Amino acid sequence: NAGVTQTPKFRVLKTGQSMTLLCAQDMNHEYMYWYRQDPGMGLRLIHYSVGEGTTAKGEVPDGYNVSRLKKQNFLLGLESAAPSQTSVYFCASGRKYEQYFGPGTRLTVT
Amino acid sequence: DAKTTQPPSMDCAEGRAANLPCNHSTISGNEYVYWYRQIHSQGPQYIIHGLKNNETNEMASLIITEDRKSSTLILPHATLRDTAVYYCIVDFTGTASKLTFGTGTRLQVTL
C-alpha cells in the first residue's frame, strides 16, 4: 500500500516549456487535490476533483490544467511554464474530512 | 481575510503536553476545524477535526470552546518527532474539504 505517490520528485524547466505532474493513489479515494507551497508559506489549492471525470478550480488555478481520467490518477499540467510557478507541488487524496498527501514535487522554472 | 490566527512559534519540552492555540472568531455554524502538521518538507499529515464537541484520537485531542471562536490542539506527551509546523484550518465541508493553509505554528520540541 503505497498511499499517494508523485512523479517526478524534482524537475527543472525553462520558461515556456510544458510538463505534466502525475499523482497516483491506491486507497480508492474519491477526492483528489493539487496544492502548491511557496517558501515560507502555507499550501494553496490549485485544482481538485470529487470523482473520476470531474475537476474544479481551487484558489490559484491560473496557468494550470488538470485531468482525472482514472479514479486513481490526477494529472497536473503546465502548458507554458513561468518562473512564478517555481514551487513545491503536493498532491493529496482523501475522504470527506481527511486528506493524505504525497511527498511533493520540487519544480524550478528558469 | 485570514480565517484563523495562530502564534508563529512555540516551544515544548519533550514528554510534556503541547497546547497549540487557534483563534477562529469568524467561524460559521457549518464550518469544521481541522488540524494538520507538516514535518520538515514532507507533505502535510492529517491530525484531527471537529465541529462542536471535543475530539480525541490516537494522535491528539481537540478542544473547541463553547462559542466555537477558538480551539486548542493538545499533544499529550510531545516527542522530538512532533517538531513540525501545525496548521489550524477552518472549512465548510460540502462534498470535499478544500483546505486553505495559513502559515501555522512552528512547534519545536526540545530535550
Side-chain angles (χ1 to χ4, degrees):
Chain A
N1 192 337
V4 179
T5 57
Q6 294 184 231
T7 307
K9 290 184 169 53
F10 302 94
R11 185 72 185 269
V12 178
L13 286 179
K14 295 187 186 305
T15 298
Q17 288 184 319
S18 64
M19 77 165 293
T20 300
L21 283 67
L22 171 64
C23 176
Q25 55 101 358
D26 61 2
M27 296 175 281
N28 201 34
H29 288 154
E30 289 294 332
Y31 309 140
M32 296 190 74
Y33 311 81
W34 276 107
Y35 293 86
R36 62 176 287 175
Q37 184 172 33
D38 299 321
M41 297 181 64
L43 283 73
R44 291 182 293 171
L45 183 64
I46 305 172
H47 285 280
Y48 66 99
S49 168
V50 298
E52 183 178 316
T54 74
T55 64
K57 294 180 180 179
E59 181 186 356
V60 289
D62 294 342
Y64 305 95
N65 56 75
V66 287
S67 64
R68 183 104 180 265
L69 299 180
K70 293 183 178 181
K71 185 177 184 178
Q72 64 267 34
N73 295 336
F74 196 28
L75 279 62
L76 178 71
L78 286 74
E79 290 187 347
S80 179
S84 60
Q85 294 178 304
T86 292
S87 190
V88 179
Y89 291 84
F90 289 101
C91 174
S93 73
R95 300 182 287 263
K96 187 171 181 178
Y97 299 109
E98 303 169 28
Q99 294 186 22
Y100 299 87
F101 285 78
T105 294
R106 189 173 297 273
L107 175 66
T108 301
V109 182
T110 61
Chain B
D1 291 340
K3 285 190 171 183
T4 64
T5 304
Q6 298 177 254
S9 63
M10 294 181 64
D11 292 330
C12 179
E14 190 176 34
R16 304 297 295 268
N19 296 279
L20 291 91
C22 180
N23 184 299
H24 32 80
S25 58
T26 60
I27 192 171
S28 59
N30 56 5
E31 288 184 312
Y32 285 75
V33 179
Y34 293 86
W35 284 85
Y36 281 74
R37 72 180 182 183
Q38 188 172 25
I39 296 173
H40 194 43
S41 56
Q42 299 175 20
Q45 178 187 21
Y46 167 83
I47 301 173
I48 200 167
H49 76 277
L51 182 62
K52 296 180 184 178
N53 301 321
N54 298 337
E55 302 288 346
T56 296
N57 62 20
E58 65 277 4
M59 287 184 68
S61 294
L62 173 60
I63 308 297
I64 302 174
T65 59
E66 193 168 342
D67 63 8
R68 304 213 318 128
K69 292 185 177 181
S70 65
S71 61
T72 301
L73 178 75
I74 301 172
L75 308 178
H77 305 286
T79 71
L80 296 177
R81 287 177 292 183
D82 293 321
T83 292
V85 177
Y86 287 77
Y87 297 98
C88 170
I89 302 164
V90 165
D91 184 67
F92 164 66
T93 300
T95 52
S97 56
K98 299 179 289 296
L99 306 177
T100 300
F101 289 75
T103 52
T105 295
R106 183 171 298 276
L107 175 68
Q108 180 70 50
V109 181
T110 58
L111 290 171

